[in-house]
Structure formats: C-alpha cells, structure tokens
C-alpha cells in the first residue's frame, strides 16, 4: 500500500514530474527503424506526455520534433519532409532535425527571426532496428544501451510492439511478478489433455506456469535495477530458480524457458502518457538466427507478442492498437474459461494486457493489500522512487545509465540447495554479444 504522494511519484510521467524526469535520462525506444522511409510520410509519436512527430530525411537521418509548429501551432504531422528539414504547410516555416528554424518564407527576406526560433527536438539514434531517442538534459547524451538483443545480427531478433491502455507501472509490475503466471496464464487442470487443448500461443508459458505454483520469491538489488528469483523444489536435493531481470527505468526480461539453448525475451514498458504505454516485446537468441518456425509463430501472436491490430489510425501509435480490447472482452473464449483455462482470453500477451487494463487506467495503490508474493513489486517500486527522489532532490544521476550495464540476460537454473542463487546463476546472467552494431 502506498501513500497518495508515493503513488503520484511512481505513476505520473509528464513533463516536470520526478518520474518523467528520471525516464528522460535514459534512451527511449520511439519507433521501429522500418517505420520511417527516407523523404516519406511523417509519423505521430507521443512519449512521456509529449506530442511529437518523427520523420526520416531524404539523406536517411531521423528527426523527432514537437508536433505543433512554433509559429502558430499547426500540426507538423502534415509537414513536408524536405532536404534538411520539415516544413510546416501552414506558412512554410522549416525546421532542421535539431529543431533550429532554417527558413521563414512568410517573413521579409532581411529578417533574422529564423535564428531566434528553436523548436523542441530530441536526438535520435538507431540500433537493433529501433529508433531510440534521448529526451533528457545531458549533452551529449549517454552512450546507447548495449542490449544484447539490439547488438546481435538482425536474423537473431524479433521485435514487436503494441499499445496498452493503462499506466506503465501496471504493465511493468506484471512483468516482474513471478506469482501470476500459474494463474493468469495457467490451466484449470495440469493434465495432458488440458495442455493439448490450449491455444498454441499459451502452451509454453502454461507448462512453465505449472512448475511455479506459489514459488518462493527473492529479490536482489543490482547496480542497474534488480534480479527477481522464483524458487521451487526440484529432484535430488536441487532447487530450480527462474530469474527475471529488471533494468531501470522500464526494461524487464522474464525467465527463459526450462530447456537448453532457449530463446530469450524482453519487454520495454514505455509510457505514452500517464494512462497509456507502448509495450515493446523482443525475442532473441544470442548465438543463432531464429528459425522460420519461431519467427512465424511470433508473427501470429505466440509467446509474448501481439501483432493482431485493429485498423490503423494516424494517431500516435494508432497502428499498433490490438484488435482484442476491453470493448470485445479481449476476445475471451468463455467456454475455455469455464472448462479448461484459468483465464479464457487467448494469448499470453493479450492476457497480460487485458488484466492490467482491467485494473483501471491508474490502479489505486492506496487501497492494495500486498502479501509475500508481492515482494518484487514492493522492491521495484522502492528502486524507482529512490532513483526519482535522488534525481529530484540532489541531482543524483540515476543508476544503470552506463551502456554496458544493459549487457544482461534472464535465466532458469537448477542449483544445489546450499548455493546462493545469484552466485550460482552469475555466469548465465551476463550477456556476451559476439556481433557489435
Ligand atoms: S503555423 Fe507553422 S508556419 Fe505558421
Ligand atoms: Fe504475464
């Protein structure tokens, strides 16, 4: 349970809020690189409560500008994507990717007004097929995060994203909550028949979930966030640890599947504003290309991915709004809900989206009743609040800004009972990408 002040500190992310300011110190994924074509259409983007437009100039560089023209507020979504800048169609003002106004054709030729107008603009960089932006005050920005999935060859990686209609923290808390998968993603009866009947998208998770009823949860702080371990007994005096990574401010990596040489997954829960987020879903393999079968399963919504979208609109992220949403019960199969599955909504990703949206846009954390199973939730909130307060009150740079601190992996390990789990799993928690971007 939180106080109102703590709740606001954690959840409000708009300009000048402590959490928004914290998030602005990190690189933020804005779009897929493939969404922007040189000299092509402008796309709306909304991040941390700010309306923006993204475009790729004819020379291939990416620009990210405030949506509304500094002159009289027309939308630059309709802007003309010209050489060296975006031109407003209302009176022709033109802005470079750095926000500098470079042309004002409606002013007298002798005017030096252009030099005085600087439009909001954020630097962008591309890595791993993603356009990242830095919205913070530090100049130059920190180095791009060395996330393994972004450094492996393109064929090793699958990235999707979907729009989620709730505060980012609800989605993030689902991502570091080992206790929910036995229920939300589980089956009513763990027998073979029930598992065979499950939709393909849920099968892997459901199997893992059966292993994990009421796990013992332990959390260890790291220099960049935290490790969340879920422990259960295994055979021959061994214990089985499933380990989730949390990297500030909004990256999670769920435990790998219990099999050798697994594909790894990660989420990035990027706030659009206080009550919406983009849920980035990444799957990658450190040492091999994903197979065609893996790729096509992910494309059809297996594992953590959702790619079944409603018809696109030109709003920010209007092309990644899932077709399953609150107004159609997330396409719940009520028969399966009654007879086979704990939650009848098809697909792990949609199940997570449905249940976190059902908590309402910002869940009231002053009225919760947290138990032992919520240990990780409590700790991650503290880590986020401590970092936001330290930045706000003392200007302390947040943890995990160093690009190499992102070289992490999740894990699932079988360990002797007397081995400390972080020590026992240490080698597997470090990423060693063999290919640099
Ligand atoms: S509003 Fe954009 S040029 Fe006038
Ligand atoms: Fe989940």
């Amino acid at each position: 349970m939180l106080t109102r002040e703590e709740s606001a500190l954690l959840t409000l992310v708009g300009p000048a809020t402590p959490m928004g300011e914290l998030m602005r110190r990190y690189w933020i994924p804005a779009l897929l690189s493939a969404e922007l074509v040189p000299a092509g259409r402008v796309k709306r983007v909304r991040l941390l409560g700010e309306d923006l437009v993204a475009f790729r100039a004819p020379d291939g560089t990416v620009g990210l500008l405030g949506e509304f023209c500094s002159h009289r507020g027309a939308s630059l979504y309709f802007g003309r994507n010209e050489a060296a800048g975006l031109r407003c169609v209302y009176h022709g003002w033109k802005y470079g990717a750095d926000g500098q106004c470079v042309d004002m054709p409606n002013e007298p030729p002798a005017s030096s007004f252009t030099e005085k107008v600087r439009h909001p603009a954020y630097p962008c960089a591309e890595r791993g097929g993603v356009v990242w932006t830095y919205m913070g005050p530090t100049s130059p920005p920190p180095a791009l995060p060395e996330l393994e999935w972004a450094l492996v060859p393109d064929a090793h990686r699958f990235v999707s994203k979907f729009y989620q209609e709730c505060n980012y923290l609800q989605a993030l808390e689902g991502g570091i909550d080992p206790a929910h998968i036995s229920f939300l993603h589980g089956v009513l009866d763990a027998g073979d028949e029930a598992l065979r009947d499950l939709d393909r998208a849920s099968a892997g998770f459901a199997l893992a979930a059966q292993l994990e009823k009421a796990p013992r949860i332990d959390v260890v702080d790291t220099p960049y966030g935290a490790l969340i371990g879920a422990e259960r007994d295994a055979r021959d005096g061994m214990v089985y640890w499933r380990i989730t990574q949390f990297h500030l401010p909004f990256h999670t990596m769920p435990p790998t599947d219990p099999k050798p040489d697994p594909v790894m997954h990660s989420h990035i829960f990027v706030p659009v504003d206080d009550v919406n987020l983009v849920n980035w879903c990444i799957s990658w393999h450190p040492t091999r290309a994903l197979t065609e079968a893996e790729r096509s399963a992910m494309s059809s919504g297996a594992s953590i991915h959702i790619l079944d979208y409603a018809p696109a609109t030109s709003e920010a992220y209007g092309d990644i709004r899932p077709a399953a949403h609150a107004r159609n019960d997330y396409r719940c199969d009520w028969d399966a809900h009654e007879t086979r599955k704990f939650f009848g909504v098809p697909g792990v990703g949609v199940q997570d989206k449905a249940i976190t949206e059902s908590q309402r846009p910002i869940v009231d954390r002053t009225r919760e009743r947290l138990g032992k199973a919520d240990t990780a939730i409590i700790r991650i909130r503290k880590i986020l609040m401590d970092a936001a307060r330290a930045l706000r009150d003392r200007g302390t740079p947040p943890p995990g800004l160093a690009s190499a601190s992102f070289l992490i992996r999740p894990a699932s390990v079988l360990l002797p009972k007397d081995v400390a789990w972080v020590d026992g799993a240490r080698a597997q928690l470090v990423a060693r990408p063999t290919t640099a971007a």
Side-chain angles (χ1 to χ4, degrees), residues 70-418:
S70 284
H71 179 218
R72 280 167 46 203
S75 174
L76 294 172
Y77 169 70
F78 298 110
R80 306 189 63 79
N81 184 358
E82 301 179 351
L86 191 63
R87 190 183 293 280
C88 178
V89 294
Y90 202 177
H91 313 93
W93 289 23
K94 178 174 172 176
Y95 305 97
D98 61 355
Q100 182 59 51
C101 186
V102 292
D103 195 17
M104 253 178 210
N106 65 334
E107 288 291 309
S111 162
S112 61
F113 192 22
T114 45
E115 291 155 32
K116 301 198 180 89
V117 176
R118 191 172 260 272
H119 189 71
Y122 296 110
C124 294
E126 294 178 80
R127 173 174 280 178
V130 172
V131 175
W132 301 80
T133 187
Y134 179 74
M135 299 172 75
T138 311
S139 183
L144 274 174
E146 291 185 47
L147 285 153
E148 182 174 46
W149 63 259
L151 294 172
V152 293
D154 292 349
H156 293 210
R157 164 177 69 237
F158 186 91
V159 182
S160 69
K161 61 182 174 353
F162 66 88
Y163 197 76
Q164 199 166 339
E165 296 176 54
C166 64
N167 182 257
Y168 84 96
L169 187 61
Q170 268 148 252
L172 172 59
E173 288 179 351
I176 45 117
D177 175 12
H180 84 273
I181 66 168
S182 315
F183 306 98
L184 191 73
H185 308 311
V187 290
L188 289 181
D189 170 359
D192 287 351
E193 207 177 320
L195 286 174
R196 204 167 35 237
D197 280 356
L198 272 179
D199 56 286
R200 187 156 127 246
S202 303
F205 275 75
L207 281 165
Q210 301 315 314
L211 302 174
E212 229 175 62
K213 287 248 155 78
R216 296 175 289 277
I217 296 168
D218 191 27
V219 187
V220 172
D221 288 0
T222 60
Y224 53 82
L227 286 169
I228 297 113
E231 180 198 26
R232 67 175 280 278
D233 294 324
R235 270 173 286 185
D236 307 324
M238 304 288 275
V239 282
Y240 180 53
W241 282 95
R242 290 171 51 75
I243 303 171
T244 301
Q245 290 272 11
F246 166 64
H247 193 301
L248 282 157
F250 38 44
H251 299 256
T252 66
M253 297 179 186
T256 47
D257 282 342
K259 60 184 185 191
D261 202 27
V263 172
M264 305 193 174
H265 308 285
S266 182
H267 285 284
I268 319 175
F269 301 102
V270 177
V272 169
D273 49 35
D274 293 343
V275 291
N276 296 284
L277 70 130
V278 175
N279 188 328
W280 287 78
C281 309
I282 301 113
S283 299
W284 83 100
H285 196 286
T287 56
R288 66 160 170 86
L290 298 176
T291 63
E292 264 324 300
E294 286 167 341
R295 212 166 261 287
S296 88
M298 291 171 194
S299 301
S300 57
S303 177
I304 60 175
H305 299 278
I306 301 179
L307 285 105
D308 184 7
Y309 303 126
T313 74
S314 62
E315 293 166 284
Y317 302 111
D319 52 358
I320 55 163
R321 315 229 171 167
H325 49 68
R327 276 80 62 200
N328 59 16
D329 292 347
Y330 302 90
R331 296 177 165 164
C332 185
D333 178 342
W334 291 107
D335 177 56
H337 192 85
E338 208 173 299
T339 58
R340 304 192 302 282
K341 295 170 65 179
F342 205 79
F343 184 33
V345 163
V348 169
V350 185
Q351 289 167 352
D352 283 326
K353 171 179 143 68
I355 214 64
T356 48
E357 290 180 353
S358 82
Q359 292 173 290
R360 292 161 291 177
I362 303 181
V363 65
D364 185 353
R365 291 185 175 81
T366 65
R367 299 165 72 102
E368 297 171 322
R369 305 297 302 273
L370 300 182
K372 276 250 183 305
D374 303 303
T375 304
I377 310 291
I378 294 165
R379 186 75 71 92
I380 269 60
R381 290 178 186 174
K382 181 169 184 325
I383 290 169
L384 280 165
M385 285 193 290
D386 285 351
R389 285 187 179 124
L391 177 64
R392 178 193 65 190
D393 300 341
R394 299 187 291 283
T396 310
L401 279 186
S403 58
S405 81
F406 288 86
L407 284 167
I408 51 175
R409 287 179 186 162
S412 292
V413 289
L414 210 49
L415 296 173
K417 254 199 178 81
D418 54 351

Side-chain angles (χ1 to χ4, degrees), residues 23-107:
M23 289 177 172
R24 282 168 188 258
R25 299 299 172 113
Y26 299 86
W27 283 94
I28 299 172
L31 289 163
L32 292 168
S33 290
E35 292 179 72
L36 299 175
V37 179
R41 285 272 299 272
V42 175
K43 285 202 88 164
R44 286 195 175 97
V45 169
R46 183 167 158 83
L47 293 170
L48 302 174
E50 230 181 292
D51 290 312
L52 305 164
V53 288
F55 61 100
R56 192 182 290 281
D59 70 359
T61 55
V62 174
L64 187 64
L65 300 177
E67 178 176 353
F68 302 106
C69 183
S70 284
H71 179 218
R72 280 167 46 203
S75 174
L76 294 172
Y77 169 70
F78 298 110
R80 306 189 63 79
N81 184 358
E82 301 179 351
L86 191 63
R87 190 183 293 280
C88 178
V89 294
Y90 202 177
H91 313 93
W93 289 23
K94 178 174 172 176
Y95 305 97
D98 61 355
Q100 182 59 51
C101 186
V102 292
D103 195 17
M104 253 178 210
N106 65 334
E107 288 291 309

